[in-house]
Amino acid sequence: MLQSLFILLLYATRSLAHFHPHVHANQQTHPYTHGKTKTFQVPLDGSSNATLRWALNYPQEKVFLAVRTPLSEKGWFGIGFSDYGELTDADLCFFWIDFKERVHFEDVHTDEEGRIFVDEQNDCLNFDFAREGEDILFFYTRKFDTCDSGDYVIEEGTTHIVWVKGSSPLFKLEGLNVAEAEKSGMQRTQLLKNINADPDLDAGSWPVKILNSQVKVPDVETTYWCTLHKLPEELREKHHIIAYEAVIEPSSEGIVHHMEVFHCVAGPGDEIPDYAGSCSDFERPEKTKVCKKVIAAWAMGATPFFYPKEAGLPIGGPDYNLYVMLEVHYHNPDRRADVIDSSGIQLTLTSRLRPYDAGVMELGLEYTNKMAIPPQQSYFPLTGFCVPECTAVVS
């Protein structure tokens, strides 16, 4: 069955031979059940118990989605999108089991108060599901743009994925308020991605891993953790960064939100004091404040980054300070106290310099208190300008 083949494709790392799908709602051909397919994954919760995988079909402008989550025998799970990551005014596909243990999968939306209404037009297509122990796995397809008034349009950029979950049996879905959910959450990711083959790396390129070392993640919702690292002595000579990617420990997948590597802009012989701790800690050495020039950045759901074959980001050289700072944002909404993390970023370097030096330009607003919206404001515009005097400067 093509649906089962698609499950096998998305979850090749786990044996699904003993799955027994009960529903085959639409026996259409799935183009991604044949050949090599690039799939993507994000955890939906901090414990990575619930996960979303997907594959893209750009010619048909469709996304194939697969959800795995623990769910009771008469439970329900809704997943979809909203403009601001709220469960109100959301566009959802809803899996639920009624009191007679019949399985339903419906296209719904919520109003401004969180009440569920079933859409007249069903755009949650090609549904199938299976159970493995306490887990439910279901998958379906959806067009980027359903042309249904009120449906979320999947576009380039950040997508807010929202989900709700309950365990009590339902008589009907219409009228349920998402506020009654036992659990809910939101995840930001880039749903539309480049699915072209990754380029071949230069012969002689080599990796440099900049990783945390057994960090005990604090049991608070938000932590920015900074660690100082010294680059290898080979970088006394100029190299190019030609690619970089995240190195995430499996136990931390739902908590590592984003990471950056900052170069410490100082004299080539200047020593930067060692530091590992909260980025905002008052005990952080003042000299580490020079570590602020971005050379790599990753956010949850991002794929490896490759520079074009004619360019690379310069790193190293006789006038280059070898210290860098790794900053990791841990998002821990469940306030788990049992996470030990050694995640970070791997740079791929080459000594065979490419024709052009690349650069990183940061655009946007600073994360400072001066950007905070004061109380009782109905309108608070923030405007940024990038003037020619800035863009013309060569560092």
Side-chain angles (χ1 to χ4, degrees):
M1 292 170 290
L2 292 175
Q3 285 87 346
S4 298
L5 288 172
F6 186 64
I7 294 175
L8 286 166
L9 170 67
L10 290 179
Y11 287 83
T13 57
R14 296 185 63 181
S15 173
L16 301 182
H18 55 288
F19 270 34
H20 302 286
H22 304 299
V23 174
H24 308 286
N26 193 327
Q27 298 284 346
Q28 293 184 8
T29 298
H30 292 284
Y32 280 110
T33 58
H34 305 284
K36 187 176 179 181
T37 301
K38 181 175 287 191
T39 62
F40 309 96
Q41 175 178 327
V42 292
L44 296 175
D45 58 4
S47 301
S48 299
N49 289 325
T51 57
L52 171 68
R53 285 200 181 200
W54 71 98
L56 299 165
N57 184 326
Y58 278 104
Q60 296 184 17
E61 297 188 346
K62 289 181 180 179
V63 57
F64 297 74
L65 304 110
V67 175
R68 179 187 289 276
T69 180
L71 197 68
S72 66
E73 292 185 359
K74 297 181 181 179
W76 43 272
F77 191 95
I79 185 168
F81 319 101
S82 70
D83 288 334
Y84 304 106
E86 303 290 340
L87 287 170
T88 54
D89 295 316
D91 177 18
L92 305 171
C93 294
F94 222 99
F95 174 95
W96 62 286
I97 303 172
D98 64 26
F99 68 103
K100 293 185 178 180
E101 299 186 358
R102 292 174 299 193
V103 174
H104 306 262
F105 194 68
E106 296 185 89
D107 185 356
V108 306
H109 66 274
T110 60
D111 65 10
E112 64 278 2
E113 296 181 358
R115 289 191 301 267
I116 289 176
F117 297 89
V118 178
D119 288 7
E120 292 184 5
Q121 176 178 311
N122 176 32
D123 295 297
C124 303
L125 303 174
N126 303 319
F127 166 68
D128 200 358
F129 83 101
R131 178 175 287 279
E132 181 187 44
E134 296 182 354
D135 283 1
I136 280 288
L137 185 149
F138 64 88
F139 76 91
Y140 61 101
T141 64
R142 188 188 185 279
K143 292 183 178 179
F144 298 167
D145 185 353
T146 66
C147 297
D148 187 5
S149 176
D151 272 7
Y152 184 92
V153 178
I154 301 171
E155 299 177 309
E156 298 283 350
T158 300
T159 300
H160 293 85
I161 299 170
V162 294
W163 59 272
V164 290
K165 179 180 179 180
S167 60
S168 57
L170 301 176
F171 290 90
K172 66 174 183 177
L173 189 57
E174 184 107 20
L176 177 71
N177 195 304
V178 291
E180 301 173 28
E182 295 176 5
K183 292 184 178 181
S184 62
M186 183 272 291
Q187 184 62 274
R188 296 183 182 93
T189 193
Q190 182 189 21
L191 208 59
L192 301 186
K193 297 176 182 289
N194 181 7
I195 60 174
N196 294 325
D198 295 334
D200 294 329
L201 296 175
D202 297 8
S205 61
W206 52 288
V208 172
K209 291 184 178 181
I210 302 169
L211 308 177
N212 277 331
S213 178
Q214 298 292 297
V215 172
K216 189 178 189 303
V217 178
D219 57 349
V220 296
E221 183 170 353
T222 300
T223 300
Y224 284 83
W225 192 267
C226 286
T227 53
L228 190 76
H229 299 261
K230 191 172 184 179
L231 297 170
E233 289 295 318
E234 288 90 339
L235 293 183
R236 295 292 181 188
E237 296 182 3
K238 180 180 176 180
H239 286 63
H240 272 160
I241 300 173
I242 58 174
Y244 64 83
E245 61 188 290
V247 179
I248 308 293
E249 291 207 318
S251 60
S252 306
E253 285 184 344
I255 287 182
V256 177
H257 184 270
H258 71 265
M259 302 182 288
E260 293 182 271
V261 177
F262 298 95
H263 177 227
C264 303
V265 183
D270 291 357
E271 290 294 321
I272 308 296
D274 192 34
Y275 182 73
S278 170
C279 299
S280 57
D281 196 307
F282 291 117
E283 300 296 321
R284 176 179 169 180
E286 187 65 27
K287 285 188 176 180
T288 65
K289 302 295 177 65
V290 301
C291 308
K292 57 183 181 181
K293 183 175 182 179
V294 177
I295 60 174
W298 172 90
M300 186 180 287
T303 55
F305 179 86
F306 298 88
Y307 280 94
K309 61 182 180 180
E310 66 272 13
L313 186 75
I315 185 172
D319 298 324
Y320 196 88
N321 189 283
L322 293 184
Y323 286 97
V324 295
M325 181 76 78
L326 172 67
E327 178 186 289
V328 180
H329 173 203
Y330 294 111
H331 179 58
N332 188 10
D334 297 331
R335 292 173 170 78
R336 293 175 55 194
D338 61 340
V339 180
I340 306 297
D341 180 64
S342 297
S343 299
I345 288 179
Q346 175 177 294
L347 309 176
T348 300
L349 311 182
T350 181
S351 59
R352 299 178 180 179
L353 301 182
R354 293 176 169 185
Y356 300 101
D357 285 345
V360 177
M361 178 182 288
E362 292 186 83
L363 301 175
L365 302 174
E366 302 174 88
Y367 290 109
T368 63
N369 290 336
K370 67 184 179 182
M371 296 300 177
I373 301 176
Q376 309 299 320
Q377 301 298 303
S378 59
Y379 182 67
F380 187 73
L382 291 171
T383 306
F385 297 93
C386 193
V387 297
E389 291 81 2
C390 175
T391 56
V393 172
V394 178
S395 61

